[in-house]
Amino acid sequence: MAIYTLHAKVVDKRTNKTLEADTEFNIKIHDINDNEPKFSKDIYFSSVPEMSDVGTSVIQVTATDADDQTYGNSAKLVYSILQGQPYFSVDSDNGTIRTALPNMDRETKENYQVVIQAKDMAGQMGGLSGTTTVSITLSDENDSPPRFANHTFRLSTLESAEVGAAIGRIKANDADVGRNAEMQYSIVDRDGQDIFTIITDQNTQEGIIRVKKQLDYERKKTFSFKVEVTNTYLDPRFMYSPNPPFKDDAMVRVTIEDVDEPPVFSRNPYIIEVHEDTAAGSFVGVVSAKDLDADNNPVKYSIDRHTDLERLFNIDSVNGTITTLKALDREMSKWHNISVVATEISNPRQTTRVPVFIRVLDVNDNAPEFAMYYETFLCENVKSGQLIQTISAVDTDEPLVGHKFVFSMSFSNPNFTIIDNEDNTARIITRRGGFSQREMNTYLLPVVISDNDYPIQSSTSTLTVNVCACDSRGNVQSCNTEALLSAGLSTGALVAILLCVIILLMIVVLFAALRRQQRKKEPLIISKEDVRDNVVSYNDEGGGEEDTQAFDIGTLRNPEVMDANKLRRDIIPEMLFPFGRTSPIKDNADVRDFIHGRLHENDSDPTAPPYDSLATYAYEGSGSLAESLSSLESGATEGDQEYDYLSNWGPPFKKLADMYIGKDTERET
C-alpha cells in the first residue's frame, strides 16, 4: 500500500475530555525497486510469411512491473532481444517483434526461437529483468517453382495397350507445401499430344501418362515429346522474380513393343452388289485382310455359317473370293449379311471378322399379276358400254424407272372389252346388253398384263364375271353364286360332315359292344346255394403259368403226386387244427364229367378268365374246418366216404348233406 492515513486527537486522561480536535496524518511510502518485470506468458507462438519484407510485424509481447511507475525508474521497462538475431528485432519501448532480414526462406529454415528480455530502471545497471520465449514459424508461400530431378524419362508399352491405359508416371518436386505444392502436367509437343495424354495424381502429385489413341508398332515404334509442369496456384509476387521461370519441363521417350495382332481387313464393312439371276458358282466379290505384324503371316478366310444358314455363299480360303452356292432371288431377300473371318495360319487364335453386306440387284424375272382377287357382278339388264370393273396389277420386281403395266385381252371377246387407263389400271366395259343367268351365269375373261422392263414379262389372269339379277336401279338382288351358297354347302363341307358322322357311329357301336361283353361276363364267385366246385381260393387271381408262388400247376396235371396238407406258398392260411387228406381216387366219373363240362364252357366263352385261374380249385377248403370240398381228392370210391357229419355243420351245408346222404341211401337200397 503506497499511502497510509492516520487520525489523532488530544484527550484528558483523567476526565476523558477532548482537548484538541482530530488531526489527519497522511503517510506516503516511497517505492524502491524490489519487483522484477513479468511477462503474461512463459512462451508465445506466432508465424510470419516467408520472404516477408524487413520490418514486418510478427507479434507484440508485454511485461508488467509491480513497482511504482510514478516514482523514479523502478517500473520503466526496456525490451531487448537476447536470442533470434539477426533474423528478428524487438521494439525497446512496446515489445513489438519484427523481421530483421529480407528473403527469409521457409524451405531453408522454418522455425525460430526468439528470447525477449524486459528490464526496469530504464535498462540501467542494477535494474531487475524478466524474459520470455517466442516461437516463430515461417508460413509457406508459393515462392518455389516445381523442378524435375531428372529431365529425361524413358517408358515402354505394348502396342495392344487399350485407350485410356496408364503406361507410366513422372514426378516433379516442389519445396512448397499444401496447395502451393499442387502441380499440373501438360504435353507441349504435338507428336505426343495426339497419341498420349497426362493427368495429375492428386495424392502423389505425379504425372500419369495414358494412351489417347490406339498404338501401332508397325506404323511407329517410338515417340518423344516434352512434358511441362507448373503450379496449380501461382503467386503473382514471385512470377516475375529474377529466379528461373516458374515452370519446368522434361523429355519423355516412349518405346512401343510389338504384339502379335490379328489380321486387318482393307475395308470395314464391305458392301457388294450382285444380280439376282446370277447362277450358282458365280463371282460376287473379294475381301482382303493382312497381318500387319513384322512377320506378315499368311491368313486364310472363312464364312461364319451362323450368318449364312442357307449356305448361299462360299469363299476361297486363300484369296478371299466370294462366290454363290445357290441362285439368289431378290424377291425372297434383298440383302444378305454375312461375316467373313480372317485367321492367321501360324496362330489360329488371331482372328478378325468383318461384316459383308451383299445387295441383290433386281432382274425382271417376275410377271405382273392382279393386285387382288376381283369379284365382279354383272346385272342382266346391263347396257352396252357400261363399266363393270376396274382392275390393277402388282409386280414383285422393282425396275429403276418404276412400274408400267399394259392390259389387253388374250383374244377378241364379243361380250367385254378392256380399256387401259395408262396409270397401271384398266376398265372392263360391256360390249353388249341382254345378259341372262339362264343362258350363262358366269363368264371367264382372260386378261393379259405385261410390264415395260427388260426382258418383258407378262401373265394372263382370269377375271370371273358373275351374272346377277338386279332391280331397275342396278342393285344386285341374287346371283348364281349366292343361290348356290344359300341352297347348300360345298362338296368339301359335305364330305367333312359325313366323315364326322361315320366316326361318331363307329364310336357308338364300339361302346355298345364293350358294354355287351361286360354284361356277359360270369362272376367268379357263385351264389352260396350253388354247390358246384367253383370256390375262389383266397380271393386271389392267378398270375398265369409263370406264377409259381400262388399254386403248383403240376398238382392238377398229376393229382397223385400232391403232397399231403400242401398249402399256398405265397399266403399262409389260418388253420384251426391240422387235418389229413385221403388219397384221390384214380377214376371218378362224376368229377371227370364235371371238369370236362366246365372246360367246354370256358373254352367256348370268350369272356371267361384264363384257364389257370381254375387250377386253385384243387386246394379249396384246405384251411377250413370242413377240409376240402372238392371231389378231386376224394377216396378211391364213393362208398369210402361218410357224409353224416355234414348234417352237423349247420344250414349252409344242409343241401350238400341231403345230396350225398341221399346218394348213400339209394346206393345201399
Side-chain angles (χ1 to χ4, degrees), residues 472-491:
S472 59
R473 290 179 293 182
N475 297 323
V476 177
Q477 292 183 337
S478 64
C479 293
N480 185 54
T481 56
E482 292 181 354
L484 180 60
L485 290 174
S486 61
L489 299 174
S490 62
T491 303

Side-chain angles (χ1 to χ4, degrees), residues 409-462:
M409 294 283 191
S410 60
F411 56 87
S412 179
N413 192 301
N415 300 312
F416 306 97
T417 186
I418 187 169
I419 299 178
D420 194 338
N421 296 328
E422 297 184 356
D423 59 355
N424 294 336
T425 63
R427 293 171 292 167
I428 306 299
I429 306 296
T430 59
R431 302 186 67 173
R432 68 177 181 86
F435 291 91
S436 175
Q437 284 184 326
R438 295 182 179 179
E439 295 178 359
M440 183 174 292
N441 55 22
T442 301
Y443 292 89
L444 301 179
L445 183 61
V447 178
V448 179
I449 309 174
S450 305
D451 57 22
N452 64 337
D453 205 353
Y454 180 82
I456 295 177
Q457 299 288 341
S458 63
S459 67
T460 301
S461 300
T462 302

Side-chain angles (χ1 to χ4, degrees), residues 16 20-21 133 241-242 245 257 259 356 408 441 466 496 520 543 620:
N16 203 24
E20 188 176 345
T133 301
S241 65
E257 298 178 358
V259 174
V356 179
S408 62
N441 55 22
N466 299 309
K520 284 184 177 181
E620 292 304 326

Side-chain angles (χ1 to χ4, degrees), residues 632-651:
L632 296 178
E633 296 182 1
S634 302
T637 62
E638 292 182 358
D640 297 335
Q641 299 293 332
E642 296 293 338
Y643 301 106
D644 294 338
Y645 60 85
L646 294 177
S647 301
N648 300 327
W649 287 359

Side-chain angles (χ1 to χ4, degrees), residues 367-563:
E369 56 187 10
F370 278 156
M372 58 180 292
Y373 172 74
Y374 292 102
E375 190 174 12
T376 305
F377 299 99
L378 175 66
C379 292
E380 291 180 316
N381 56 358
V382 71
K383 297 180 180 180
S384 176
Q386 186 170 342
L387 173 65
I388 62 171
Q389 185 68 62
T390 299
I391 59 176
S392 62
V394 293
D395 193 340
T396 55
D397 295 323
E398 291 183 357
L400 297 177
V401 296
H403 289 293
K404 177 62 178 177
F405 302 127
V406 177
F407 300 87
S408 62
M409 294 283 191
S410 60
F411 56 87
S412 179
N413 192 301
N415 300 312
F416 306 97
T417 186
I418 187 169
I419 299 178
D420 194 338
N421 296 328
E422 297 184 356
D423 59 355
N424 294 336
T425 63
R427 293 171 292 167
I428 306 299
I429 306 296
T430 59
R431 302 186 67 173
R432 68 177 181 86
F435 291 91
S436 175
Q437 284 184 326
R438 295 182 179 179
E439 295 178 359
M440 183 174 292
N441 55 22
T442 301
Y443 292 89
L444 301 179
L445 183 61
V447 178
V448 179
I449 309 174
S450 305
D451 57 22
N452 64 337
D453 205 353
Y454 180 82
I456 295 177
Q457 299 288 341
S458 63
S459 67
T460 301
S461 300
T462 302
L463 179 66
T464 302
V465 181
N466 299 309
V467 180
C468 304
C470 303
D471 57 17
S472 59
R473 290 179 293 182
N475 297 323
V476 177
Q477 292 183 337
S478 64
C479 293
N480 185 54
T481 56
E482 292 181 354
L484 180 60
L485 290 174
S486 61
L489 299 174
S490 62
T491 303
L494 292 174
V495 171
I497 293 174
L498 183 59
L499 289 176
C500 292
V501 171
I502 293 173
I503 293 173
L504 288 175
L505 290 175
M506 292 175 64
I507 293 174
V508 171
V509 171
L510 181 61
F511 181 75
L514 292 175
R515 290 294 299 271
R516 183 178 179 184
Q517 290 180 3
Q518 291 177 357
R519 286 196 299 268
K520 284 184 177 181
K521 286 185 178 180
E522 185 175 279
L524 295 177
I525 300 177
I526 308 177
S527 173
K528 294 181 179 181
E529 301 298 327
D530 195 342
V531 296
R532 292 177 294 177
D533 292 340
N534 290 337
V535 181
V536 179
S537 174
Y538 297 96
N539 197 23
D540 181 38
E541 180 181 356
E545 293 181 351
E546 296 181 358
D547 186 1
T548 60
Q549 297 298 324
F551 56 89
D552 187 0
I553 196 170
T555 303
L556 283 182
R557 296 173 179 171
N558 189 6
E560 296 180 349
V561 300
M562 183 183 69
D563 297 333

